[in-house]
Amino acid sequence: MVKPAVELLFVLVILFGSSYALPTTKCARASPEELWYSDYSPMLKSSCLEEMSYYFRLILDRVEGDNLFTFIPHIKEDPEKAKNLTEKMTLAEKTALFLMGQAYDVMENSWLTLGETSRLFLAGGAPASEVARSMENLHKAHVHANELLIDAGRKIAVFFRDMLELAIEGVTLMLETEVEEAPEGDYEMAKLIQEKIVKTAPVDLIGIIVRRFIGRSMGTIQTSPNKDTPDVLFSVMPRINQMVNDFKETMDRELLTAESWTSFMEKELEKSLVATKKRELENFVLIYRNEVYVYEVLMNMITSYTE
């Protein structure tokens, strides 16, 4: 079995391709490209995308091979159903990684487009309205990227939600052949399912999540999507929103000129340098050694991203 940390470099190549290396072309100081390559791009990769890919592989690794069928022998006995389920898991991860790569590309392209517009504007080849349009598009791009990352999480969450439902079905079938008298109500049935899971595979990821959900809802997996859009880019969006708002205030005070745009970019670079120095990257590999945290993240994904 390949460890998640060993696979991380391979995942990064899938996500970012050759663009993962920093560009060799020199960026002008206080430019959109400088902000992207020195601050936002490294932050996104280290604080969001790498962690997402690591966590997805961590939990999927727990259900690969025979572990996928621990509580669903009725599926394993049917070669076609077993094949379909295995392919479904593979497709969920591949699609999630593809969406994450798309999210990165959308954000990168918006920054590079702003950089090109900035150069044209400073050279007198583009009006101030084009700079304003590029800033607006940059904001929209990050909102769209957040949606893509939510969709990536949803692909994984839906797969695990379906696995929980199959596991409950499978354990129920097991109990039908073992219990002489049917339980009188949902509470009794829930207790029997929990007990059977503990006896069969107490440390199995799917079994643990089923038991935890049953413990909360007593017999059913209650899932309801958040009404508010989850902010996957929680470390990025507040800064993007502030930058766009500051730009609008600048435009409201005065006509945008080469001098005022350069001054604006210099202030953004100063903020970027401060943010970069203050940033403390958490070691998510160590964080996910906490098994309870692994379970809670997965349960939150299921309740947030599925219907």
Side-chain angles (χ1 to χ4, degrees), residues 4 119 166 274 297:
R119 285 192 297 274
L166 284 173
V274 172
V297 170

Side-chain angles (χ1 to χ4, degrees), residues 260-288:
S260 62
W261 172 246
T262 300
S263 176
F264 175 79
M265 279 286 99
E266 288 173 347
K267 291 178 181 177
E268 289 302 315
L269 181 59
E270 290 174 3
K271 295 177 185 177
S272 172
L273 293 173
V274 172
T276 302
K277 290 179 180 179
K278 288 184 176 180
R279 190 179 306 148
E280 295 182 4
L281 298 179
E282 294 181 324
N283 188 333
F284 53 79
V285 176
L286 294 178
I287 292 173
Y288 288 123

Side-chain angles (χ1 to χ4, degrees), residues 145-210:
N146 190 62
E147 293 170 351
L148 289 170
L149 293 175
I150 291 170
D151 286 342
R154 183 175 291 113
K155 296 299 180 184
I156 302 298
V158 167
F159 169 75
F160 275 95
R161 179 205 61 190
D162 293 346
M163 281 299 302
L164 300 187
E165 293 175 351
L166 284 173
I168 290 178
E169 176 186 328
V171 174
T172 302
L173 290 173
M174 294 178 193
L175 291 172
E176 288 179 356
T177 63
E178 299 176 6
V179 180
E180 296 181 357
E181 296 184 6
E184 297 180 357
D186 291 342
Y187 179 81
E188 289 74 15
M189 186 63 196
K191 286 183 63 178
L192 285 176
I193 290 174
Q194 287 181 314
E195 292 169 0
K196 181 61 179 177
I197 288 173
V198 172
K199 291 179 181 178
T200 305
V203 296
D204 180 89
L205 176 63
I206 298 297
I208 289 172
I209 301 301
V210 169

Side-chain angles (χ1 to χ4, degrees), residues 1-145:
M1 183 180 295
V2 181
K3 296 299 182 181
V6 177
E7 289 190 341
L8 191 54
L9 179 59
F10 176 71
V11 170
L12 294 177
V13 173
I14 294 176
L15 286 177
F16 312 118
S18 60
S19 67
Y20 185 67
L22 291 178
T24 55
T25 55
K26 186 177 180 180
C27 298
R29 297 296 292 175
S31 68
E33 292 97 334
E34 176 66 20
L35 287 173
W36 169 251
Y37 286 120
S38 67
D39 183 2
Y40 284 93
S41 176
M43 176 173 59
L44 282 165
K45 291 172 181 175
S46 60
S47 67
C48 179
L49 299 177
E50 287 182 13
E51 181 175 352
M52 287 180 68
S53 62
Y54 179 88
Y55 180 74
F56 292 166
R57 180 89 302 267
L58 177 68
I59 56 178
L60 289 168
D61 196 49
R62 305 279 186 91
V63 295
E64 284 190 333
D66 289 339
N67 291 334
L68 189 63
F69 304 100
T70 302
F71 298 106
I72 49 175
H74 62 296
I75 300 295
K76 187 177 182 179
E77 291 169 0
D78 186 323
E80 188 65 25
K81 289 183 178 179
K83 178 183 176 183
N84 289 341
L85 184 59
T86 302
E87 290 177 348
K88 182 178 181 180
M89 179 178 67
T90 301
L91 180 61
E93 183 177 24
K94 286 184 177 180
T95 304
L97 292 176
F98 175 75
L99 291 169
M100 291 161 61
Q102 274 194 322
Y104 180 85
D105 289 344
V106 165
M107 289 181 283
E108 181 179 51
N109 289 338
S110 69
W111 279 99
L112 299 185
T113 298
L114 178 61
E116 178 63 22
T117 304
S118 173
R119 285 192 297 274
L120 289 172
F121 174 68
L122 293 175
S129 59
E130 285 299 313
V131 178
R133 184 177 292 108
S134 290
M135 285 290 288
E136 181 181 354
N137 289 339
L138 182 139
H139 182 265
K140 290 179 179 178
H142 284 70
V143 172
H144 179 47

